[in-house]
Amino acid sequence: MPKAEKGSAKDIANKMKAKGLQKLKFFCQMCNKQCRDENGFKCHLTSDSHLRNMKSFCSNATGMLDQFSAEFEKTYLDTLYRRHRTKKMSANNVYQEVIQDKEHVHMNATKWATLTDFVQYLGKMGKCVVEETERGWYVTFIERDPEILAQQENYKRRVEAEKREERKVAKRMEMQRIEAAKLMDRAGVGVNVEASNLDRTSDDAPIALKLGGGNGAEKAKKKKKASVFGNDGDDDEDSEREEERLLAEMNKPIQKAEAIMKELETNRKRKRNPTEEQQRGIHLHSNDNNNDSRKKEKNSNTSKSNSKNDSDGLEDIRKKHWIRKDILTRIISKKVKKGQYYKRKCIVNKVYDKYIAKVEILDSGPGADDGGDIFEIDQDDLETVVPKVGKHVIILNGRGRGMVAELMSVDEKKCRGTLQLLDSDVILKKVDYNDFSKVVK
């Protein structure tokens, strides 16, 4: 059938029909042609142009199908993101917005047979949050733009900071209110005033209230009459004095409260920004106190050490280096040999430069054979080993430094021990764990 003449009524009717959306089942994606009815679509399928396009499709079916699927997915996600951002939307409503464009890629040309399959694909790929409800499938776009994510994170931090600041201000105001209330109570100005009941008996007279301006008019007349005779000066002065006295009594609590608040503010400023004289006084006072305390400590220490030294003849010798040959120690650093020997015991075979020890690792257990390694280690990576009561130890620091003693008792709470020297019967009490270690030989 020939086409209608251009400009004719038939041509205009055909154009009006072609403006709207047609049925999806009568659309050919390969030829990008929309047919109006079943007869037209059947005629199109037998046309030469359609057969040529189908031959090219058969030669690369997978590639073209993937291309159409990618285009449809991109269009769908762009529509969801641009129109709804990260809101939860019905998948069908978004699809209706997509197909409003006549040039869109139709779903019958993609690898998904239904919209449900496509929505499930988006959920599996992690591109959308998918949820099935009684009203159908709902999708929510997942934001992955780093700039937008950074903006959202900054907004959250700013909101949290504002909330923290509000809490701080509220707490500060509450503290100030409590301080002001305490000071006003001390000054005799009550803040919390409680209403009391009106106690009346049967003998009390009834309460009478006078309303209206009669008294004021009468007073005004009296004043006018008195002014004629010239005798109102004393009365006016007395009334003014009485009013001033009442106002002064009423303003006393307010003035006290204002003075208290001013005093609080000045004290707070002084605490924050002390004057130079106060700083000098505080500094000199602290220096004097420190000097006095140091002198007292020195005198007490010297007196104690002198009395003890006089009694047992041992000097209190303390030095920074404490490691020595033939003692048992434990490795306390995970950096040594990449943590391989962490918490393992070792014997000090030799000492270099007072702080470096050449150690030999012991076996981790009775039946284990994982010791014998020899290497050098710093003093800071070792700690002393406290043996059982009755074993021999060597004193590493303090009174009797370098002497061998027997461990008599242990105070595990205070990490101290009581030692008895082997050369004499001298007993050393309250010796710290760091000042002695087990003897190997």
Side-chain angles (χ1 to χ4, degrees):
M1 184 177 178
K3 290 184 178 181
E5 187 178 353
K6 192 171 184 180
S8 63
K10 185 69 174 176
D11 183 51
I12 294 171
N14 291 338
K15 286 182 178 179
M16 290 175 68
K17 289 178 183 178
K19 278 184 179 179
L21 295 174
Q22 305 296 324
K23 289 186 178 181
L24 180 61
K25 63 181 180 178
F26 299 144
F27 180 82
C28 179
Q29 185 67 51
M30 285 299 301
C31 304
N32 199 15
K33 181 175 177 59
Q34 176 69 56
C35 299
R36 225 174 280 137
D37 52 12
E38 188 177 359
N39 187 30
F41 187 66
K42 188 176 180 181
C43 293
H44 171 71
L45 294 179
T46 58
S47 64
D48 294 338
S49 61
H50 178 74
L51 294 175
R52 283 195 301 270
N53 289 334
M54 290 306 295
K55 283 182 181 179
S56 62
F57 175 77
C58 292
S59 61
N60 187 19
T62 306
M64 297 186 74
L65 197 65
D66 292 341
Q67 181 182 354
F68 290 144
S69 301
E71 290 179 4
F72 177 79
E73 180 185 348
K74 185 177 182 302
T75 306
Y76 189 91
L77 291 177
D78 288 345
T79 304
L80 176 62
Y81 178 68
R82 289 174 182 172
R83 296 193 180 186
H84 308 290
R85 290 290 175 178
T86 55
K87 291 182 181 178
K88 181 181 177 181
M89 293 300 299
S90 173
N92 190 28
N93 292 345
V94 179
Y95 178 71
Q96 296 299 326
E97 294 174 0
V98 171
I99 64 176
Q100 287 178 2
D101 183 14
K102 290 179 66 176
E103 302 298 329
H104 76 280
V105 178
H106 290 66
M107 184 173 282
N108 60 357
T110 63
K111 58 185 178 182
W112 303 290
T114 60
L115 182 63
T116 301
D117 296 340
F118 175 66
V119 170
Q120 290 176 354
Y121 161 80
L122 292 178
K124 289 178 182 177
M125 298 302 293
K127 297 180 180 180
C128 292
V129 178
V130 178
E131 183 180 355
E132 185 180 9
T133 62
E134 295 177 356
R135 296 183 179 181
W137 289 91
Y138 279 79
V139 291
T140 307
F141 186 80
I142 299 175
E143 185 63 69
R144 297 188 184 279
D145 190 358
E147 294 182 359
I148 296 176
L149 292 175
Q151 291 177 1
Q152 292 176 355
E153 187 67 24
N154 292 334
Y155 175 74
K156 288 180 182 179
R157 290 177 182 173
R158 186 168 64 252
V159 170
E160 291 178 357
E162 289 176 356
K163 289 181 179 178
R164 286 197 299 270
E165 191 65 26
E166 288 177 358
R167 287 196 294 268
K168 288 181 181 178
V169 171
K171 189 176 180 181
R172 196 180 302 119
M173 291 177 66
E174 183 65 19
M175 292 176 66
Q176 290 178 357
R177 187 189 66 77
I178 293 170
E179 290 179 2
K182 289 180 180 179
L183 289 172
M184 292 177 75
D185 289 338
R186 292 175 188 171
V189 183
V191 178
N192 299 324
V193 180
E194 295 181 357
S196 60
N197 296 325
L198 180 62
D199 296 331
R200 290 178 58 81
T201 61
S202 58
D203 298 334
D204 293 339
I207 299 173
L209 296 175
K210 292 183 179 180
L211 302 175
N215 294 334
E218 291 176 0
K219 287 180 180 179
K221 289 178 181 178
K222 288 179 181 179
K223 285 184 178 180
K224 286 181 181 178
K225 290 178 181 179
S227 64
V228 173
F229 294 99
N231 296 326
D232 60 338
D234 296 336
D235 296 336
D236 291 341
E237 289 179 359
D238 293 340
S239 62
E240 288 178 358
R241 288 173 184 172
E242 185 68 19
E243 289 178 359
E244 289 178 357
R245 186 180 64 79
L246 292 173
L247 288 173
E249 289 180 356
M250 292 173 65
N251 290 332
K252 278 182 181 180
I254 299 173
Q255 292 175 357
K256 285 183 180 180
E258 290 179 353
I260 290 166
M261 294 301 292
K262 286 182 181 179
E263 186 177 355
L264 275 174
E265 191 66 25
T266 52
N267 290 335
R268 196 177 290 111
K269 287 182 180 179
R270 286 176 183 174
K271 287 180 181 178
R272 289 178 184 172
N273 301 317
T275 59
E276 293 183 359
E277 294 179 358
Q278 289 177 346
Q279 289 179 353
R280 289 174 185 172
I282 292 167
H283 185 65
L284 292 171
H285 183 66
S286 62
N287 288 338
D288 294 339
N289 291 335
N290 292 332
N291 292 331
D292 294 339
S293 61
R294 286 174 184 171
K295 287 179 181 178
K296 289 180 181 178
E297 288 179 358
K298 284 183 179 179
N299 293 331
S300 62
N301 291 333
T302 52
S303 61
K304 287 181 181 178
S305 61
N306 290 332
S307 62
K308 289 180 180 179
N309 293 337
D310 293 339
S311 62
D312 52 26
L314 298 177
E315 295 183 3
D316 190 358
I317 303 173
R318 289 193 172 274
K319 295 183 180 180
K320 293 182 179 180
H321 58 277
W322 54 267
I323 53 172
R324 58 178 58 236
K325 187 179 177 182
D326 297 334
I327 63 171
L328 189 64
T329 58
R330 182 183 288 106
I331 299 173
I332 58 172
S333 176
K334 293 183 179 180
K335 296 180 180 179
V336 178
K337 301 294 182 181
K338 298 181 180 179
Q340 182 181 358
Y341 300 116
Y342 180 64
K343 294 291 183 181
R344 292 281 297 273
K345 294 180 181 179
C346 56
I347 301 172
V348 178
N349 292 333
K350 202 170 183 180
V351 179
Y352 302 101
D353 299 331
K354 298 181 181 180
Y355 296 96
I356 305 299
K358 186 176 182 181
V359 298
E360 180 181 355
I361 300 295
L362 298 180
D363 295 336
S364 58
D369 191 12
D370 53 354
D373 292 343
I374 299 174
F375 54 88
E376 294 181 358
I377 188 173
D378 191 81
Q379 167 183 279
D380 295 337
D381 298 330
L382 298 173
E383 70 173 1
T384 59
V385 174
V386 180
K388 295 181 180 179
V389 176
K391 299 292 183 180
H392 290 177
V393 297
I394 188 168
I395 302 174
L396 305 175
N397 253 332
R399 296 169 56 212
R401 175 184 169 94
M403 303 179 71
V404 180
E406 182 181 349
L407 183 62
M408 304 297 292
S409 62
V410 173
D411 187 356
E412 294 182 355
K413 292 183 179 180
K414 296 183 179 180
C415 298
R416 294 174 179 175
T418 303
L419 309 179
Q420 182 178 5
L421 300 180
L422 296 181
D423 297 342
S424 60
D425 295 335
V426 177
I427 295 176
L428 305 178
K429 297 181 179 180
K430 298 181 181 180
V431 182
D432 195 83
Y433 281 176
N434 295 327
D435 293 342
F436 66 89
S437 186
K438 183 179 179 181
V439 179
V440 178
K441 294 181 181 180

